[in-house]
Each structure stands twice: as C-alpha cells, then as structure tokens.
Amino acid sequence: ETGVTQTPRHLVMGMTNKKSLKCEQHLGHNAMYWYKQSAKKPLELMFVYSLEERVENNSVPSRFSPECPNSSHLFLHLHTLQPEDSALYLCASSQERGGGETQYFGPGTRLLVL
Amino acid sequence: GQNIDQPTEMTATEGAIVQINCTYQTSGFNGLFWYQQHAGEAPTFLSYNVLDGLEEKGRFSSFLSRSKGYSYLLLKELQMKDSASYLCAVRDSNYQLIWGAGTKLIIKP
C-alpha cells in the first residue's frame, strides 16, 4: 500500500463514451501527476499539478482533461478516445514538485478503448 | 534529444547476482532513480543517486557515474519475488523526470 489509490482499476470504453479516472493520495503531498504507460515504452508524463495548479501539460490531446479540486484528489476526464489511447494510466504524488522528491505511484487504471 | 537506455529483458537464477545497466543522455542532471514494478502493480521507489558512487540498501545497490552518464542496479541473493520490471529515471535540469522503458527481470529456479 503506497498511499495512492486509483479507481477504477480496469476500464473498457467505446470511442464515443465519456469516463473519468480518479486518484486519491493520503500522504499529505502537494504535487500530483498523471502518466501514461504503454507496453515496452517509457512512462509518458501527461500532467503535473502543484498545489492544485496545473504546472505542466506535455502536449496531451484535448480528449484528456485533468481536474484537481484539492491537493488530495486528481481526476482525468476522458472523451472520444482512440484505440491507441489504450494503456495503463498511472497517478503519482510527491511532497513537492522538483528536486530530489520521490514520486509515489498508484496501482494504475488499465484502459482499453474499443 | 533526451534518452535513457536499459536492456529490455534479463534472465537470472535464484540465489545469484544480477546487474541492470542504465545509460542516459539528458539536458542536465539532478539525480537518478530506480523503481521496481511488478506486473499489474504500481512502480515502487528503490533508490536515488545524485552523487557518484555506490548506495547500498540491503540486497539492492545502485551505482552512479555522472561523467559516464551511467548507472546500474545490483541485486544480490536473488529471490523469485524479484521478478519484475526495473525502471531507470533521470531528473534533468528542468526537474523533469525522463524515464527509461524498463528492464523486465525474469528469475528462474
């Protein structure tokens, strides 16, 4: 148990659906992250939030929309996804953004887009 | 561009020692991380190196040479539960984490 939870753990959706991924951290951290992990590829950083403010957005398509209502919760809203968006979506948190801060990961949501 | 290289897959025997290498080319350097990820689970932090040399933590050690852009993770007295992917990540001058694709380690009895 790393203190970061994600729901759902598995999600199958059609290209016209709208769904949301949820992440919650119980570590009192100030920074939260969304990553995409595809098979045999490096982790791709999607979004970074620091103190509820989005500080990074790495050229992610607009069909992915993050939301950070408070420092403990992070959402990823999904709409009109493509099959190539099928991947493991990982949430992480760290005490602060930057420096030597260790990131703590959630178990991920395995997403399949049909 | 920025790049992290590590072998795709390695196989080792229970009880033996294995060394997983990681080489990097990044714009600046602010530390190197190793994470372990079991199939279907979250990556978990193993080690952090920011200065040259060897950091030892029980059966696991991590080495860094900044001048060579090189690190390795050394696992001793391998156990079956060590079968996992090992991810190398480097923090660059902008404090961005650049990740390698991971090394899948298979332990055989």
Side-chain angles (χ1 to χ4, degrees):
Chain A
E1 176 60 51
T2 64
V4 182
T5 58
Q6 290 186 243
T7 54
R9 293 294 309 274
H10 301 272
L11 179 62
V12 180
M13 58 187 290
M15 289 190 283
T16 58
N17 292 157
K18 288 186 180 180
K19 296 286 183 183
S20 295
L21 309 185
K22 180 183 175 182
C23 175
E24 185 174 357
Q25 57 97 359
H26 313 274
L27 301 169
H29 288 167
N30 292 319
M32 296 187 77
Y33 310 78
W34 277 118
Y35 284 93
K36 177 183 179 182
Q37 187 176 36
S38 302
K40 299 186 179 180
K41 289 186 178 179
L43 283 173
E44 299 173 46
L45 180 63
M46 300 175 73
F47 302 104
V48 181
Y49 276 82
S50 178
L51 296 170
E52 303 153 41
E53 180 184 344
R54 190 192 310 180
V55 294
E56 282 187 50
N57 176 348
N58 287 335
S59 304
V60 178
S62 59
R63 56 186 184 268
F64 295 91
S65 174
E67 179 190 359
C68 187
N70 56 62
S71 59
S72 298
H73 293 87
L74 186 65
F75 294 89
L76 188 63
H77 303 300
L78 316 172
H79 64 96
T80 59
L81 293 192
Q82 304 298 310
E84 59 264 30
D85 297 323
S86 298
L88 180 68
Y89 288 84
L90 290 164
C91 173
S93 72
S94 62
Q95 184 61 51
E96 302 292 343
R97 173 177 170 263
E101 295 295 333
T102 300
Q103 292 183 16
Y104 294 85
F105 285 83
T109 296
R110 176 72 61 186
L111 174 66
L112 177 62
V113 181
L114 301 176
Chain B
Q2 309 206 84
N3 196 45
I4 309 284
D5 285 314
Q6 47 181 136
T8 304
E9 188 173 298
M10 299 181 70
T11 302
T13 306
E14 191 177 14
I17 298 174
V18 72
Q19 178 175 309
I20 303 174
N21 296 326
C22 171
T23 57
Y24 61 90
Q25 299 92 38
T26 56
S27 51
F29 178 85
N30 279 300
L32 184 144
F33 295 82
W34 284 98
Y35 280 79
Q36 179 191 60
Q37 186 178 22
H38 286 100
E41 296 183 14
T44 55
F45 169 77
L46 287 178
S47 68
Y48 172 68
N49 294 69
V50 67
L51 299 176
D52 290 350
L54 188 68
E55 296 275 345
E56 297 188 71
K57 261 190 197 180
R59 294 189 299 114
F60 292 9
S61 303
S62 57
F63 172 83
L64 174 68
S65 169
R66 289 172 295 171
S67 62
K68 294 182 180 177
Y70 168 69
S71 172
Y72 66 73
L73 182 69
L74 190 72
L75 292 74
K76 302 177 186 175
E77 301 168 17
L78 285 170
Q79 302 175 9
M80 298 302 293
K81 67 179 183 180
D82 297 328
S83 291
S85 287
Y86 292 86
L87 310 180
C88 174
V90 172
R91 197 179 295 279
D92 69 9
S93 56
N94 293 321
Y95 292 96
Q96 278 245 26
L97 263 185
I98 313 300
W99 292 84
T103 299
K104 183 178 180 181
L105 178 62
I106 299 168
I107 308 297
K108 295 186 174 178

